[in-house]
Amino acid sequence: MAPVLPLVLPLQPRIRLAQGLWLLSWLLVLVGGLTLLCSGHLLVQLWHLGTFLAPSCPVAVLPQVALAASAVALGTGLVGSGASRASLDAAQYPPWRGVLGPLLVAGTAGGGGLLVLALGLALALPGTLDTGLEEGLGTALANYKDTEVPGRCQAKRLLDELQLKHHCCGRHGYKDWFGIQWVSNRYLDPNDQDVVDRIQSNVEGLYLIDGVPFSCCNPHSPRPCLQSQLSDPHAHPLFDPQQPNLNLWAQGCHEVLLGHLQGLASILGNMLAVTFLLQTLVLLGLRYLQTALEGLGGVIDGEGEAQGYLFPAGLKDMLKTAWLQGGVARRPAPEEAPPGEEPPKEGLPEA
């Protein structure tokens, strides 16, 4: 019975395989390290923006899994570089013969599984981020005025810093502020008739105005910041409410944050794909090198040709036999038929 995917390796191809694996392993170490940095950067960004994400949004799972996958890839690259270099020296390779097999199994099962899981999470991230930001930003806007409520005291400061840093306003645009009360009742004059009229005219008793917080103002605008009466075309001279972008940030924070985080996730996804490819090549090369050297007693410059393979001879037949035996075991024997069911009787031949 022939082994699975055999490959004949004479002396020179064996040496070139070991040298190529050494270079490929260090490339995997470099890419794995970069993937580790990208994962950590995305995790830090998600931690900083956690206030504006829904608590039920599991976006932090991606960088966490990617961190574990890149760490395994980093270890695989170091093992590959050490084993491939040791294989070129008959005196250094014997310690690797006993541990290389288990390391290959661990790298394939653990590292490959984590990389596949991380790639799947990266593909599913855009939809998860969209929902999480939609809910989280809505809650942040609603809590903006609660500067004295325990647990919400920092909501105003964090949202102002977000709008100033990312050049955005509201959830989807500046008009989002028109539909919520963002001024605390503490700073409203109950004796002001305009304040009383606005509160009484609202079904929920909210003080709504066609204005925005100062953090929505664009400092690059040539005119002073206009924050109130933005819907009134006659309130401010030479100001067109149809073109507020000249005075306010044009984009909503949902669009800006979604693009920012998706960009980081896209970079991480590409790095994970490259890591997966390199790790697969390193593991395959190490397996062929290991099996070829085992046929030569661990000496790479041994005489004659060596045969490398992925799986030993008879593995396919062994799995097939186990499957067939399992199928036979699942079928009840005639004598073990349930009570009440008589075994079929053979019909007598007709005369």
Side-chain angles (χ1 to χ4, degrees):
M1 292 179 288
V4 179
L5 296 178
L7 180 64
V8 177
L9 294 171
L11 175 59
Q12 289 303 320
R14 290 198 300 269
I15 295 177
R16 286 196 295 268
L17 175 61
Q19 294 172 342
L21 273 176
W22 184 82
L23 293 173
L24 201 61
S25 297
W26 279 113
L27 183 59
L28 177 59
V29 170
L30 175 62
V31 174
L34 292 175
T35 307
L36 195 71
L37 292 177
C38 291
S39 305
H41 180 59
L42 179 58
L43 188 62
V44 170
Q45 289 294 309
L46 290 173
W47 179 73
H48 281 302
L49 298 173
T51 306
F52 310 107
L53 289 166
S56 59
C57 185
V59 290
V61 177
L62 168 61
Q64 291 170 354
V65 175
L67 279 172
S70 55
V72 174
L74 195 63
T76 302
L78 293 174
V79 169
S81 64
S84 57
R85 182 171 183 176
S87 67
L88 297 171
D89 189 345
Q92 296 182 8
Y93 184 70
W96 288 94
R97 296 181 65 180
V99 298
L100 191 55
L103 288 175
L104 287 175
V105 173
T108 303
L114 287 172
L115 282 171
V116 171
L117 177 59
L119 284 170
L121 291 172
L123 293 175
L125 184 66
T128 307
L129 270 178
D130 189 8
T131 305
L133 286 171
E134 186 74 21
E135 181 181 343
L137 285 171
T139 303
L141 264 69
N143 296 338
Y144 184 86
K145 68 179 187 304
D146 301 331
T147 54
E148 297 180 353
V149 177
R152 304 177 184 175
C153 302
Q154 304 298 323
K156 178 182 180 301
R157 178 183 63 82
L158 293 174
L159 192 50
D160 283 333
E161 290 178 351
L162 176 75
Q163 295 188 144
L164 289 171
K165 179 180 179 180
H166 291 276
H167 298 178
C168 59
C169 181
R171 181 164 50 177
H172 297 288
Y174 74 99
K175 289 186 178 180
D176 290 337
W177 290 105
F178 296 0
I180 64 169
Q181 178 179 341
W182 55 271
V183 179
S184 174
N185 289 330
R186 178 183 179 183
Y187 304 106
L188 297 177
D189 184 3
N191 298 321
D192 189 333
Q193 189 60 39
D194 179 66
V195 172
V196 175
D197 292 342
R198 285 182 180 273
I199 294 177
Q200 290 180 350
S201 63
N202 185 266
V203 177
E204 300 178 359
L206 300 177
Y207 178 72
L208 304 182
I209 58 174
D210 54 347
V212 296
F214 77 97
S215 53
C216 280
C217 292
N218 184 352
H220 303 294
S221 173
R223 69 176 301 158
C225 180
L226 303 178
Q227 298 177 244
S228 60
Q229 296 179 304
L230 296 176
S231 300
D232 188 355
H234 306 291
H236 307 286
L238 303 179
F239 175 71
D240 185 3
Q242 302 298 325
Q243 296 181 345
N245 301 344
L246 301 176
N247 189 253
L248 307 175
W249 298 123
Q251 293 179 300
C253 293
H254 180 277
E255 180 183 356
V256 173
L257 293 182
L258 185 62
H260 173 63
L261 294 176
Q262 281 185 348
L264 294 178
S266 177
I267 294 174
L268 178 58
N270 292 332
M271 295 299 298
L272 287 170
V274 175
T275 303
F276 180 78
L277 177 62
L278 289 175
Q279 184 165 329
T280 302
L281 293 176
V282 169
L283 290 173
L284 287 175
L286 284 176
R287 178 57 177 168
Y288 275 108
L289 183 63
Q290 177 206 18
T291 52
L293 292 183
E294 287 300 319
L296 297 172
V299 181
I300 195 170
D301 55 355
E303 296 182 358
E305 295 180 345
Q307 188 181 60
Y309 52 83
L310 288 184
F311 301 106
L315 178 64
K316 181 179 179 181
D317 296 332
M318 182 179 66
L319 294 176
K320 183 178 179 180
T321 302
W323 172 259
L324 292 176
Q325 288 177 350
V328 171
R330 288 191 295 270
R331 292 197 297 267
E335 60 272 10
E336 296 177 357
E341 294 185 7
E342 297 182 359
K345 298 180 179 180
E346 297 182 357
L348 296 176
E350 297 182 0

